[in-house]
Amino acid sequence: MTSTPDTAALDTVLAQINGTKPVLEQIANKWSVLILAVVCTQPSRFNAIKRRLDPITHKALTEALRRLERNGLVDRRVIASSPVAVEYSITPLGRTLQAPFTALIAWAQEHGPALEAARAVAEAHTEE
């Protein structure tokens, strides 16, 4: 089978999957994508992010923000106030994900109904 330019590029990506898989695991989980979408627009405090992403749990948000900070995608800033507040902002590295994540979110909004319909059909077939 002859490779076209598109399949050749895909073949190259798949050949390098072991190198990219750990990176994708860090950035492509459901909460990371949504958190980065929130902080891309403006720096946000923990509770503001939590409200925007309801029903995320406190624990899930804390773990995701720590992972994003550890990977250099968000900055954490402690604000000396009473009570102490923490604000998260996007880093230049994190900002490079804005376009692909915006496209992914737009895709999900556009194709979500089709996914739901396909899931309903599949569930109907498994119940037969």
Side-chain angles (χ1 to χ4, degrees):
M1 183 170 143
T2 306
S3 290
T4 65
D6 288 341
T7 60
L10 181 59
D11 290 343
T12 300
V13 168
L14 292 175
Q16 298 170 353
I17 198 74
N18 287 334
T20 58
K21 185 176 179 241
V23 174
L24 292 173
E25 287 174 347
Q26 293 299 311
I27 63 169
N29 68 60
K30 69 178 178 180
W31 293 123
S32 292
V33 171
L34 297 173
I35 291 166
L36 288 170
V38 169
V39 298
C40 267
T41 58
Q42 65 183 19
S44 300
R45 293 184 178 192
F46 182 93
N47 285 328
I49 297 169
K50 189 171 182 322
R51 280 191 301 275
R52 292 274 310 269
L53 299 180
D54 187 50
I56 191 170
T57 65
H58 189 280
K59 179 182 177 189
L61 180 56
T62 299
E63 289 172 356
L65 284 166
R66 284 181 183 158
R67 185 175 51 254
L68 292 169
E69 183 184 13
R70 190 172 47 249
N71 286 298
L73 300 173
V74 298
D75 279 329
R76 179 181 185 271
R77 181 174 73 100
V78 176
I79 300 168
S81 61
S82 182
V84 173
V86 178
E87 182 179 77
Y88 294 89
S89 59
I90 196 79
T91 64
L93 179 61
R95 175 95 38 219
T96 64
L97 290 167
Q98 186 173 9
F101 282 179
T102 299
L104 183 60
I105 291 166
W107 184 93
Q109 290 170 335
E110 181 180 346
H111 298 285
L115 290 171
E116 289 294 326
R119 188 176 308 121
V121 168
E123 288 173 1
H125 287 312
T126 59
E127 292 174 1
E128 293 176 354

